[in-house]
Amino acid sequence: MNYRLPKKTPFRYLMLTLIFLIPVKILSQADNSNIKIIRLEEALQLGNQNNRQLKIANTDVAIANENVSQAKMAKIPRLSLGAGYTYIGDPKLYEGFYERNITVDYYNHRAFANIVSSMPIYSGGAINDKIEQQKLISQMQESIVKMTEADVKNAITEYYFTLEKLYSQIEVTKQNIINTDLRLKQLKSRVDNGQNLKSDLLRTELQQSNFKVSVFRNTNDIELVSNYLDILIGLPTNTILKPDVVANVSFEEVDLQKSITEAYQNRQEIKRAEISLKLSESTLDITKSGFKPNISTNLILNTEYPAQWPNYVNIINYWAAGISLNWDVSSFYNIKHRIRGDKLQIDKSNIALDATKDQIEREVKTAYIKYAESKENIKTYKKDVELSLSNYKIVKSRYDNDFALISDMVDAELQLNNSKISLVNANLDLIIQYYSLQFAMGKL
């Protein structure tokens, strides 16, 4: 036993030294990084300008608007120009089975040109219905843009205050590291004088190394969250961000039922579901237009040379105007299944609208409860900090007068550190939950 203890003790010292020093080195590198201080309003503005998903959604709106213009083109007259030229060799007339032939001297050149115009007068309402359908698709794309904007804002807000939580945790833990450094100096002197055991010094060093590991982990998390936020707002992905949080954030009073009502009015998901219902109804109208005839007018200007072979060789010019009717009578029984399918799609869209409302109600209730819970948590954690601080002062006084062990001191510090961090997190969680509730209400 006496032989194995000296072998194990140096190894233990080596591991404690590595744990103690490595986080300090990496943390110092992180502290020297280029940090950009940013306010929430700036982050939201950058996200609105640079977010790629938002740019894609805006491009889809532009495409939908072009499709509306294209659908309107069905109302304007169609105009086509035609022309042609043919060289004709001298024809031969044969008798019998290629026994004799007579060569006919004929005009070798033949040409024509024409202008044809047509315009729909009546198409059973299909053209207007298709235009309205494209307008609805454009409105749906616009609602997707607003939904994307809200999603981006919600994500930016969450990451932003998560960063603030990490920085605040580091500040609390760093203060504990400073306090532990002071106690370590005292402990080393007391160990040298035989007032404390060496295990007390090791335990305190282990506590300090745990604090530094916590700071190291939080620093890495800051880098990761900053990277996510950089991507959202369009900054270089190696930019380390530090929030500049306004000291006092005002929270408006909210009522659950009022919040649900506002969500029904504001949430783009409901508007999108309503547009989807209108699209299904529009598709049914287009299908029913197949029962009706199509009426159109046409105008032709034509010239030919020669006019007719082989009797005429002069040039002929003429124009013609008329009206045409096309009625697909077979549609009376061909499209009945399409109509049934369109009606089923309308039923499905109504169900989807109700399901969307249910989902939004659940989201609002969840956000409301979490917001109320965050308020109560702050009261609890404030009390925990007061109790932990009182306990720490008592234990420290007892320890300074040699009435408490170093383990009691370590436990009291850990309890105080955890309660402070919990209070910091609770305050920032309240802000996050408030914005989450605003998002659920469609006001973000």
Side-chain angles (χ1 to χ4, degrees):
M1 187 72 177
N2 292 333
Y3 173 76
R4 295 180 61 188
L5 184 58
K7 295 291 183 179
K8 188 174 182 180
T9 302
F11 178 73
R12 181 181 300 172
Y13 274 114
L14 178 61
M15 293 302 296
L16 285 173
T17 303
L18 289 174
I19 294 174
F20 185 80
L21 293 178
I22 291 176
V24 175
K25 182 179 179 181
I26 300 177
L27 180 59
S28 63
Q29 294 174 355
D31 289 339
N32 293 328
S33 301
N34 183 22
I35 297 178
K36 176 180 174 58
I37 298 176
I38 189 170
R39 300 194 68 172
L40 179 60
E41 294 78 9
E42 181 185 356
L44 293 174
Q45 184 178 4
L46 288 172
N48 191 52
Q49 294 173 354
N50 302 326
N51 185 263
R52 291 185 177 88
Q53 293 300 322
L54 196 52
K55 288 182 178 179
I56 292 173
N58 282 316
T59 303
D60 288 337
V61 171
I63 293 172
N65 290 333
E66 291 298 326
N67 290 336
V68 172
S69 300
Q70 182 62 36
K72 290 180 179 179
M73 298 295 289
K75 283 188 171 184
I76 68 174
R78 297 290 185 270
L79 181 67
S80 63
L81 304 177
Y85 168 80
T86 304
Y87 179 85
I88 302 175
D90 292 338
K92 293 183 179 182
L93 301 178
Y94 286 91
E95 293 183 0
F97 188 71
Y98 295 97
E99 295 176 359
R100 290 184 304 170
N101 66 78
I102 300 173
T103 300
V104 179
D105 185 13
Y106 182 66
Y107 289 96
N108 301 114
H109 305 282
R110 181 177 178 86
F112 75 92
N114 58 49
I115 301 175
V116 179
S117 176
S118 64
M119 184 177 71
I121 298 177
Y122 178 74
S123 58
I127 294 177
N128 290 332
D129 289 338
K130 289 179 180 178
I131 293 173
E132 291 301 318
Q133 190 174 63
Q134 289 299 327
K135 288 181 179 179
L136 289 172
I137 293 174
S138 179
Q139 292 175 15
M140 179 172 287
Q141 293 300 333
E142 289 174 356
S143 70
I144 291 175
V145 169
K146 293 178 181 179
M147 286 169 57
T148 307
E149 285 179 352
D151 289 337
V152 170
K153 287 180 179 179
N154 189 44
I156 289 173
T157 303
E158 184 173 352
Y159 284 135
Y160 184 86
F161 288 107
T162 299
L163 273 178
E164 179 63 18
K165 286 169 66 174
L166 293 170
Y167 278 108
S168 299
Q169 290 174 19
I170 287 176
E171 291 303 317
V172 172
T173 309
K174 277 185 176 180
Q175 185 59 48
N176 287 328
I177 292 174
I178 294 173
N179 296 335
T180 307
D181 281 335
L182 295 175
R183 193 169 68 253
L184 275 173
K185 293 178 182 178
Q186 297 173 356
L187 268 175
K188 288 177 182 178
S189 176
R190 292 168 69 97
V191 169
D192 292 339
N193 296 329
Q195 294 175 284
N196 280 86
L197 297 175
K198 201 165 188 176
S199 60
D200 294 338
L201 179 62
L202 291 175
R203 185 181 180 92
T204 305
E205 288 178 341
L206 180 61
Q207 179 194 24
Q208 189 185 54
S209 67
N210 288 332
F211 285 150
K212 291 184 177 181
V213 168
S214 176
V215 171
F216 172 58
R217 288 174 178 171
N218 287 339
T219 303
N220 287 338
D221 289 339
I222 285 173
E223 185 174 353
L224 292 175
V225 176
S226 292
N227 179 259
Y228 301 152
L229 193 52
D230 289 338
I231 293 173
L232 278 174
I233 64 180
L235 292 179
T237 54
N238 60 346
T239 306
I240 304 299
L241 301 175
K242 188 177 190 315
D244 181 14
V245 179
V246 179
N248 295 320
V249 179
S250 58
F251 303 103
E252 63 181 27
E253 293 296 326
V254 291
D255 176 75
L256 177 57
Q257 195 55 48
K258 183 180 177 181
S259 299
I260 294 174
T261 302
E262 289 190 28
Y264 287 160
Q265 296 173 352
N266 300 330
R267 286 287 291 268
Q268 293 298 319
E269 288 85 346
I270 291 181
K271 295 180 180 179
R272 184 181 178 187
E274 291 172 346
I275 293 173
S276 180
L277 175 59
K278 292 179 181 178
L279 275 172
S280 299
E281 294 171 348
S282 176
T283 300
L284 177 61
D285 292 337
I286 293 173
T287 302
K288 287 182 177 180
S289 67
F291 289 129
K292 301 173 184 178
N294 295 322
I295 302 173
S296 61
T297 61
N298 54 75
L299 174 66
I300 300 174
L301 299 176
N302 187 79
T303 181
E304 294 182 23
Y305 175 83
Q308 185 176 352
W309 181 81
N311 297 326
Y312 299 97
V313 295
N314 61 303
I315 298 176
I316 183 170
N317 297 313
Y318 71 90
W319 66 272
I323 186 169
S324 63
L325 181 145
N326 180 26
W327 200 342
D328 185 7
V329 180
S330 62
S331 64
F332 291 172
Y333 56 87
N334 283 341
I335 63 176
K336 61 180 181 180
H337 295 292
R338 286 170 52 194
I339 290 176
R340 290 177 184 174
D342 292 341
K343 289 181 178 179
L344 290 173
Q345 184 63 42
I346 292 174
D347 294 338
K348 179 181 175 181
S349 298
N350 278 312
I351 296 173
L353 176 59
D354 293 336
T356 302
K357 290 180 178 180
D358 292 340
Q359 177 64 26
I360 288 174
E361 183 176 351
R362 287 195 297 270
E363 291 178 6
V364 172
K365 284 184 178 179
T366 301
Y368 181 85
I369 291 172
K370 292 293 183 183
Y371 175 63
E373 180 181 312
S374 297
K375 285 184 175 181
E376 294 300 320
N377 286 342
I378 290 177
K379 299 177 183 178
T380 302
Y381 290 128
K382 281 182 178 179
K383 187 66 176 177
D384 288 348
V385 170
E386 293 175 2
L387 295 175
S388 299
L389 183 59
S390 298
N391 179 63
Y392 171 77
K393 290 179 179 179
I394 294 172
V395 173
K396 187 176 185 305
S397 176
R398 289 171 57 83
Y399 176 75
D400 292 340
N401 292 282
D402 296 328
F403 290 111
L405 300 175
I406 188 65
S407 59
D408 298 328
M409 192 69 183
V410 170
D411 292 339
E413 280 193 345
L414 288 175
Q415 188 177 27
L416 179 59
N417 180 70
N418 291 335
S419 61
K420 286 181 178 179
I421 290 177
S422 296
L423 179 59
V424 169
N425 291 342
N427 283 311
L428 291 169
D429 281 337
L430 177 62
I431 300 175
I432 292 174
Q433 294 303 330
Y434 174 76
Y435 281 107
S436 296
L437 179 58
Q438 295 297 304
F439 170 75
M441 294 166 60
K443 298 173 66 176
L444 190 59

